[in-house]
Amino acid sequence: EVQLVESGGGLVQPGRSLKLSCLASGFTFSNYGMNWIRQAPGKGLEWVASISSSSSYIYYADTVKGRFTISRDNAKNTLYLQMTSLRSEDTALYYCARHPSRRDYYFDYWGQGVMVTVSS
Amino acid sequence: NIVLTQSPASLAVILGQKATISCTASESVNKFGINLMHWYQQKPGQLPKILIYNEFSRAPGIPARFSGDEAELNFTLTIEPVEADDVATYYCQQGLTFPLTFGAGTKLELK
């Protein structure tokens, strides 16, 4: 069974940093591209970043480019999102999600999400 | 960026009737003859779930009540017949180019 479990969220002050993790199991993690998608309270879905299976290709939303860094450790089956210079508008539930192939950028498995609250 | 405009924002349907949700793309999402448009269902308090990928292909376990179609950049998700378990917000998403984008969502309720 595919499982994605996020961790690392919490309350953080504006301008500070936070690092999210997503532990994957139930599939060969190193074969799949991964993504972070967020959802502000009561709002819709916003794609944040994508990383290919070997980390060769990385993409970011303009809203986080230069502040967030997506990375992965295939030996640890773990996806990361390093977030710096956090703003109140980054407050959201952050999901990690898998995309099924490098040609198919849709999200077939999602984690339960981890909440990030940016507030003083 | 490819903008996806969903309509209506909310929809009330009688049990057993048909629900139609529209998603209009600002430009083509077609690659090699396949429209890279996808649909998700998010029930209240739950994580999103893939329903339809590549315009009309149902994800594993998704019943035939859910179908996808396209006409001139206007994509539709149809649910027929609607069941009580379908109460949710539905999102379209394009997978052609970065940034990947979602529609704003359509909230389906029962009348």
Side-chain angles (χ1 to χ4, degrees), chain B:
Chain B
N1 297 355
I2 297 178
V3 176
L4 302 180
T5 303
Q6 269 189 254
S7 62
S10 63
L11 180 62
V13 180
I14 295 171
L15 213 57
Q17 297 301 301
K18 180 167 76 173
T20 302
I21 298 169
S22 175
C23 176
T24 301
S26 60
E27 58 189 89
S28 173
V29 296
N30 192 287
K31 185 172 184 179
F32 305 135
I34 300 172
N35 283 314
L36 303 181
M37 183 62 76
H38 319 300
W39 292 93
Y40 301 84
Q41 176 193 65
Q42 187 176 32
K43 296 179 181 178
Q46 296 188 19
L47 55 92
K49 179 172 77 172
I50 182 73
L51 291 176
I52 303 283
Y53 64 94
N54 294 348
E55 182 189 334
F56 56 77
S57 298
R58 276 187 296 279
I62 301 303
R65 303 185 294 105
F66 294 88
S67 62
D69 200 357
E70 179 265 349
E72 302 284 337
L73 298 184
N74 185 30
F75 295 86
T76 56
L77 173 69
T78 300
I79 310 169
E80 183 177 27
V82 168
E83 296 183 358
D85 190 49
D86 300 334
V87 169
T89 299
Y90 294 84
Y91 297 92
C92 57
Q93 177 245 324
Q94 64 82 16
L96 179 67
T97 61
F98 290 94
L100 305 176
T101 48
F102 289 90
T106 295
K107 188 173 183 179
L108 177 65
E109 300 170 320
L110 295 179
K111 191 181 292 184

